[in-house]
Amino acid sequence: MIIPEHKQCILSDSRNEIHSELNLDPQALAEISQVLAQSMEDHSPITLTLFDQVKDKEIRGIVMRVDQKLQQIKLRTSDDGWEWVEMVDVIGAFT
């Protein structure tokens, strides 16, 4: 039997191991940063490609905030919908 705290710790550790293998090159990071900044500046919609163990997924929206401390991006996905995206999950960004 696994208590919830241990389960979360195990899942977190395995997720970090996977992400440690996903090191993006500096050019890719610069391109992602540029797309994020452009979306935040002129409120243009972008598409983020997010890592997933089974299949990468895409999410479309407008960047409203980038929280460097929490390493998250606040994305407005619809008129009344928001989603926080973990920066470590972002593997691509385009307009």
Side-chain angles (χ1 to χ4, degrees), residues 61-75:
I62 299 171
V63 177
M64 302 308 292
R65 181 177 176 193
V66 176
D67 190 326
Q68 294 291 339
K69 184 176 180 181
L70 296 176
Q71 295 291 298
Q72 294 180 335
I73 302 163
K74 186 176 185 180
L75 200 66

Side-chain angles (χ1 to χ4, degrees), residues 9-95:
C9 184
I10 291 169
L11 291 175
S12 175
D13 285 346
S14 66
R15 183 177 173 140
N16 288 338
E17 288 174 13
I18 292 168
H19 283 297
S20 66
E21 298 170 8
L22 292 175
N23 292 327
L24 297 176
D25 62 75
Q27 183 178 0
L29 290 173
E31 290 173 2
I32 291 170
S33 295
Q34 183 179 11
V35 171
L36 293 173
Q38 180 182 355
S39 175
M40 196 162 53
E41 183 177 313
D42 61 12
H43 300 284
S44 60
I46 62 168
T47 302
L48 296 177
T49 305
L50 306 176
F51 173 78
D52 188 65
Q53 288 180 350
V54 178
K55 181 181 176 187
D56 294 344
K57 66 179 187 173
E58 292 185 346
I59 184 169
R60 187 151 179 86
I62 299 171
V63 177
M64 302 308 292
R65 181 177 176 193
V66 176
D67 190 326
Q68 294 291 339
K69 184 176 180 181
L70 296 176
Q71 295 291 298
Q72 294 180 335
I73 302 163
K74 186 176 185 180
L75 200 66
R76 187 175 77 193
T77 55
S78 65
D79 287 338
D80 58 349
W82 304 87
E83 190 166 335
W84 284 96
V85 177
E86 299 286 333
M87 285 185 193
V88 71
D89 291 337
V90 178
I91 57 173
F94 57 93
T95 55

